[in-house]
């Protein structure tokens, strides 16, 4: 949960940085375009306007001085012809340049003054020409005077043109300078732009790297187990699929660590985790010594799997399994503790034992779960799945069984420790198929997988209440009936209301219906579990933890649960006579229950030795084949009546 939040936070942060960098890049690019435009405008103005102006002025100056030169030439040679032939042409040139300058809109306010000067020059030139035309009567003094007049006009015009030229040069220089500064700005902006582009690339690289890391992390979480670091079930299925696609040969061994759950509930999860880590390391070393290409996987809390390639030989697989099963001879030291574990191994060979991944896994599982007779490894045999394969395909049958009311409840008595008195019963469902009764161990998992457990569980609850009322009405003593509740029912929000309704419908007194919840259900989300338990208690039922000691529930939660009873799992009862460790666990559970003021029921009691041992430990109630198997309701009533009359 917190990982998702932090990755969301990181994504938001990356987005903000990305937007900021992109905005910077865009504005820098925009400014560069602006600066570039300014530079080109300045350059254009220089090229299109100022340069023609300067050229025109230069031309005009040369045309004017040409004309003065003509006058001097004419005066010095006394030839009027020179003047006449070129005069008109030169005058036209001057006028053309003046027109061009006024079109360029150069100094419009001085234009009149300049034209007046041109006319004044024309006048002096004209007078000079007329004086020359007098031939021998010409007055050289007059000629000199006109020449001086023309020269003075030319001087004034030259000064004026020089002023114009200077002004134009200054303006041009200014626009050149500003173009130059624009060029400088442009260069800086270009530099900024390059840095921004670099930033974007770096950002994209970082984002890509982060994403790759995320993907790595996701991949690791999806395909590897966090505790052992081993590849997990999905990875195994992937690898197995590859082998099958390549028509490879090999074997799949599924290993269950026998006492891991007990270790977890007795010493805590940390110790259990350490134990599985140590076991995994030990297995790796053993596997390496067998020289068979292999992979070791963790399937779930207490199961591992080995996929061996290129070796379909049963003998190889057997030698390996035999070796691995020898782990039970070897104690593991975890801190100050010395723990022993046992491995159960189920083996499926491929391609012989299954053509698909799911079939091979199922068959190796079936071999693992088959009756052991003290042998710790078993090869798959077809008969092992005949039953379960049938049931797996019968979800539809279950549905119709519910409609056709093929389910019935059998009742197993709970006895006082001396066995003399029945103190209650547990309702256990059966599926009647003609003469045959089908065990819940076979169909409850299918019902749970398909969700059918909800309507089936509801039926069980109402049927148990109905039966309690029927027995009470027929005069039998009021004895509590225990009903098994599966995880899905317990987690269903409507469940407490359903229970209240069933109790009310059959007017069941407080505590006469007991709900048995497995330890695994109680271990999930303790706060929510406590709230549901409180609602159920308020509805009027009592609560028991079933199969106690096998699950992962932490003992610290136990005191916070509003429960009344602990049912010790059959596995401990079965082995407490032979295993001092299991006997110690039973006694530990017993003293824990006493200190929490909980009742203890031992299930699976089959021998009088077990009965004696449990009663010595001050167990409250016993349940098991020693007293009675689960029996139909009518039989249970008869049994009650007979023990009642016997005691009277
Ligand atoms: P459980 O609740 O732990 O029930 C005890 C199981 O142990 C019963 O098996 C019972 O017949 C069996 N048993 C009792 N005494 C002995 C004994 O001395 N020796 C041996 N070997 N076995 C003994 P059953 O009836 O096959 O039920 C198996 C499991 O199916 C139950 O375990 C319970 O988890 C589940 N189950 C049964 N009925 C229902 C139900 O109505 N709803 C749900 N959700 N689960 C049910
Ligand atoms: Mg039970
Ligand atoms: Mg049980």
């Amino acid at each position: 949960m917190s990982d998702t939040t932090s990755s969301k936070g990181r994504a938001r942060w990356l987005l903000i940085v990305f937007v900021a960098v992109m905005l910077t890049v865009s504005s820098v690019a925009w400014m560069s375009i602006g600066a570039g435009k300014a530079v080109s405008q300045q350059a254009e103005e220089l090229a299109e306007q100022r340069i023609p102006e300067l050229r025109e002025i230069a031309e005009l100056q040369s045309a004017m001085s040409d004309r003065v030169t003509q006058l001097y030439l004419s005066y010095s040679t006394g030839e009027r012809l020179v003047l006449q032939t070129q005069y008109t042409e030169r005058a036209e040139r001057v006028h053309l340049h003046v027109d061009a300058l006024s079109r360029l809109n150069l100094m419009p306010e001085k234009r009149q003054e300049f034209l007046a000067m041109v006319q004044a020059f024309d006048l002096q030139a004209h007078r000079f020409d007329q004086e020359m035309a007098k031939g021998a009567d010409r007055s050289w003094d007059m000629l000199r005077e006109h020449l001086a007049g023309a020269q003075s006009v030319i001087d004034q015009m030259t000064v004026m043109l020089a002023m114009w030229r200077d002004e134009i040069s200054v303006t041009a220089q200014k626009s050149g300078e500003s173009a130059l500064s624009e060029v400088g700005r442009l260069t800086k902006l270009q530099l900024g732009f390059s840095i921004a582009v670099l930033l974007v690339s770096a950002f994209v690289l970082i984002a890509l790297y982060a994403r790759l890391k995320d993907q790595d992390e996701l991949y690791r979480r999806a395909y590897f187990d966090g505790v052992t670091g081993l590849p997990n079930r999905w990875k195994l299925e992937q690898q197995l699929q590859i082998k099958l696609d390549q028509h490879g040969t090999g074997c799949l061994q599924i290993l269950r660590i026998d006492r891991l759950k007990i270790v977890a509930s007795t010493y805590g999860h940390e110790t259990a985790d350490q134990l599985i880590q140590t076991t995994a390391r030990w297995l790796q070393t053993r596997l390496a010594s067998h020289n068979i290409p292999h992979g070791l996987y963790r399937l779930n809390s207490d199961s591992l799997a080995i996929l061996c390639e290129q070796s379909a030989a049963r003998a190889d697989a057997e030698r390996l399994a035999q070796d691995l099963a020898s782990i039970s001879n070897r104690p593991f030291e975890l801190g100050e503790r010395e723990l022993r574990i046992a491995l159960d191994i189920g083996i499926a060979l491929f391609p012989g034992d299954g053509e698909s991944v799911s079939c091979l896994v199922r068959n190796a599982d079936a071999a693992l779960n088959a009756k052991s007779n003290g042998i710790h490894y078993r090869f798959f045999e077809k008969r092992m799945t005949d039953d379960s394969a049938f049931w797996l395909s019968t979800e539809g049958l279950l549905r119709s069984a519910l409609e056709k009311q093929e389910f019935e409840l059998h009742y197993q008595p709970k006895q006082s420790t001396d066995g003399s008195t029945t103190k209650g019963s547990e309702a256990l469902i059966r599926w009647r198929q003609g003469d045959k009764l089908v065990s819940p161990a076979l169909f409850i998992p299918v019902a749970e997988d398909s969700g059918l457990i909800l309507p089936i569980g509801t039926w069980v609850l109402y049927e148990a209440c109905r039966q309690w009322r029927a027995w009470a009405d027929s005069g039998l003593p009021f004895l509590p009936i225990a009903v098994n509740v599966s995880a899905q029912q317990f987690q269903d929000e409507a469940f407490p209301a359903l229970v209240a309704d069933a109790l009310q419908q059959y007017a069941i007194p407080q505590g006469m219906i007991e709900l048995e919840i497995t330890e695994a259900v109680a271990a999930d989300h303790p706060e929510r579990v406590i709230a549901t338990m409180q609602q159920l208690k308020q509805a009027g039922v009592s609560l028991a933890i079933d199969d106690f000691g096998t699950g992962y529930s932490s003992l610290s939660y136990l005191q916070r649960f509003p429960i009344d009873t602990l049912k010790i799992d059959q596995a401990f009862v079965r082995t407490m006579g032979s295993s001092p460790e299991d006997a110690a666990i039973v006694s530990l559970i017993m003293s824990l229950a006493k200190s929490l003021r909980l009742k203890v029921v031992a299930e699976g009691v089959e021998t009088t030795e077990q009965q004696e041992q449990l009663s010595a430990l001050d167990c409250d109630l016993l349940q098991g084949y020693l007293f009675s198997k689960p029996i139909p309701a009518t039989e249970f009533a008869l049994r009650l009546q007979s023990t009642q009359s016997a005691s009277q």
Side-chain angles (χ1 to χ4, degrees), residues 236 239-240 243-244 248-255 287 290 292-297 304-322 324 345-354 360-361 363-364 378-380:
L236 168 72
Q239 292 303 110
L240 192 51
K243 295 292 155 246
L244 293 181
T249 56
C251 74
L252 171 69
Q253 305 203 357
I254 296 185
L255 293 72
L287 277 163
H290 278 261
I292 304 171
H294 66 271
L296 179 64
Y297 304 81
L304 298 152
I306 298 168
L307 179 61
C308 293
E309 299 166 33
Q310 299 163 13
S311 162
R314 198 183 155 98
D316 284 348
E318 184 155 14
R319 212 170 305 122
L320 178 66
Q322 234 166 12
L324 300 184
I345 305 171
I347 308 163
L349 301 169
F350 57 88
D353 289 343
L360 274 170
V361 172
N363 290 347
R378 289 165 298 280
F379 281 88
F380 169 71

Side-chain angles (χ1 to χ4, degrees), residues 55-74 82-83 86-87 90-91 93-95 97-98 114 117-118 121-122 125 147 150-159 161-162 165:
R55 200 180 59 227
E56 288 301 334
I57 287 170
E59 297 270 351
L60 188 56
Q61 265 180 327
S62 101
M64 295 301 290
S65 24
D66 247 20
R67 293 189 66 191
V68 179
T69 316
Q70 268 183 318
L71 292 185
Y72 280 108
L73 214 66
S74 186
V82 180
L83 190 68
Q86 293 178 359
Y87 184 81
R90 299 286 156 92
R93 246 183 79 198
V94 167
H95 283 278
H97 291 309
V98 170
F114 188 77
M117 286 182 199
V118 174
F121 181 88
D122 282 350
L147 201 56
Q151 180 63 55
S152 123
V153 175
I154 284 289
D155 288 346
Q156 285 175 38
M157 284 173 77
T158 308
V159 170
L161 285 175
R165 200 189 50 229

Side-chain angles (χ1 to χ4, degrees), residues 516 546-547 567 569-570 603:
E516 291 190 5
D546 203 357
D547 304 340
K567 289 188 78 176
D569 191 67
Q570 322 193 351
E603 55 181 23

Side-chain angles (χ1 to χ4, degrees), residues 412 426 429-430 440 460 484 546-547 570 603-604 606 624-625 630:
Q412 187 177 33
E426 177 177 6
I429 193 170
R430 269 90 186 97
V460 171
N484 290 285
D546 203 357
D547 304 340
Q570 322 193 351
E603 55 181 23
E606 290 182 350
Y625 293 170

Side-chain angles (χ1 to χ4, degrees), residues 444 446-458 486-489:
I444 290 285
V446 183
E448 280 174 340
D449 277 354
S450 60
L452 276 173
I453 191 66
L454 290 183
I456 292 177
T458 305
S486 79
Q488 280 179 57
Q489 283 176 276

